[in-house]
Amino acid sequence: MSYAEIHPNWETLSNDILDGYSLEITAKDVASLREAAPKIAPQTPIAVTFLPGEEMEARIAAVKAVRELGFEPMPHVSARRLTSAKVFEDMIKRVTSESGVKRLFVIAGDPPQPEGPFEDSLQVIRTGVLEQNGIKAIGIAGHPEGHPNVSKDELWVWMENKIAEIRQRGMLPIIVTQFGFSAEPFLDWLEEMRARGIDAPVRVGVPGPAGIKRLLGFAARCGVGASAAVMAKYGVSLTQLMGTAGPNKLVTAIDQGLDYERHGRVRLHFYPFGGLSKTLDWIHEFSEHRR
């Protein structure tokens, strides 16, 4: 199977770091997505999150909207938030039959105790439900700055096991990382991953432009490094919490540091944090400036 089957130009993308980016939305962002749609290239991958407090019907409606607008939906599945195997199976059957979903992003999720039968993402992958319903690719999480509950060595083992299971089942793995504020952890992690022989394509998580307090709030919740030194590199002073910040310095540093021989093929995945239109405006402005 070729990655072209699930992203038509993945294997022919240019070396422009902004070529072939993906986006993330929540079920509440459908109106914003419709408004911003003319700014987004056709077939752009758009992930739909699996947040607590959102109804399954709202998530499925968001997936449908992504497809209807001409983009490629990638719904999230949060293993520990699935209350039953039936809820999971019904969701997969509906998003594949009603919206032509070919890819999913499968994570363990945040609850310390599972709300149903699934402890982790590997259990979800092993059900057989995904390939039986025509899923072609599975996104899994990458943690360049580590995970608060899992050691670095364990993270690599989990990644290797999930990739092996996905491929054994005839699907393709894609790694999507947590967002960050500094290029160095991304580049070091990519180099170590390739040195370990992990050749799956990677989407590096980038925060869209947002209020500084909002960015720091998301960082705190997600365990992302946001020290004074890191934020200074990003262009933010922690003594000045007013205003907004964009990822100009981060994306430039990633672009300048990437060596496709050492880091493999890498694309960007934007976390808009509710500011979808602002993120797309930033992408277009940054692209024009580069030209």
Side-chain angles (χ1 to χ4, degrees), residues 41-257:
Q43 299 180 315
T44 292
I46 298 182
V48 179
T49 57
F50 196 111
L51 294 179
E54 290 182 345
E55 297 293 330
M56 187 65 76
E57 285 299 325
R59 297 183 189 116
I60 291 173
V63 172
K64 285 183 180 179
V66 171
R67 175 62 77 198
E68 289 167 359
L69 290 167
F71 310 123
E72 189 64 36
M74 186 176 186
H76 286 207
V77 175
S78 180
R80 292 188 172 198
R81 295 194 188 280
L82 293 167
T83 54
S84 70
K86 185 178 187 306
V87 166
F88 165 58
E89 292 172 15
D90 287 349
M91 175 191 175
I92 301 307
K93 288 176 180 177
R94 288 194 61 186
V95 297
T96 52
S97 65
E98 297 174 18
S99 303
V101 165
K102 299 297 182 185
R103 68 179 81 183
L104 293 172
F105 183 65
V106 184
I107 57 173
D110 297 328
Q113 297 298 324
E115 297 172 11
F118 301 109
E119 287 269 358
D120 55 58
S121 53
L122 195 53
Q123 288 181 338
V124 170
I125 295 166
R126 284 175 171 160
T127 61
V129 170
L130 305 181
E131 67 268 30
Q132 289 166 13
N133 283 277
I135 297 297
K136 301 296 184 184
I138 303 293
I140 59 174
H143 300 277
E145 297 187 64
H147 190 286
N149 301 322
V150 186
S151 72
K152 179 181 176 181
D153 288 339
E154 287 176 318
L155 284 173
W156 289 122
V157 171
W158 274 103
M159 180 179 288
E160 289 166 352
N161 288 344
K162 284 185 278 190
I163 288 174
E165 189 72 27
I166 290 165
R167 285 179 167 153
Q168 182 179 331
R169 292 176 177 277
M171 297 178 289
L172 298 167
I174 301 173
I175 301 166
V176 184
T177 80
Q178 179 58 277
F179 70 89
F181 296 112
S182 176
E184 287 87 346
F186 287 126
L187 297 172
D188 292 345
W189 176 83
L190 283 164
E191 188 165 0
E192 181 174 356
M193 183 175 67
R194 301 312 185 193
R196 289 172 173 269
I198 301 173
D199 61 353
V202 174
R203 289 192 174 277
V204 167
V206 173
I212 294 168
K213 286 186 178 181
R214 189 174 180 84
L215 287 172
L216 294 176
F218 275 102
R221 272 183 274 170
C222 298
V224 172
S227 67
V230 168
M231 296 309 291
K233 287 183 181 179
Y234 189 74
V236 171
S237 169
L238 295 187
T239 62
Q240 298 174 334
L241 297 181
M242 301 300 290
T244 60
N248 301 56
K249 289 187 176 182
L250 172 63
V251 172
T252 298
I254 293 172
D255 188 29
Q256 292 175 347

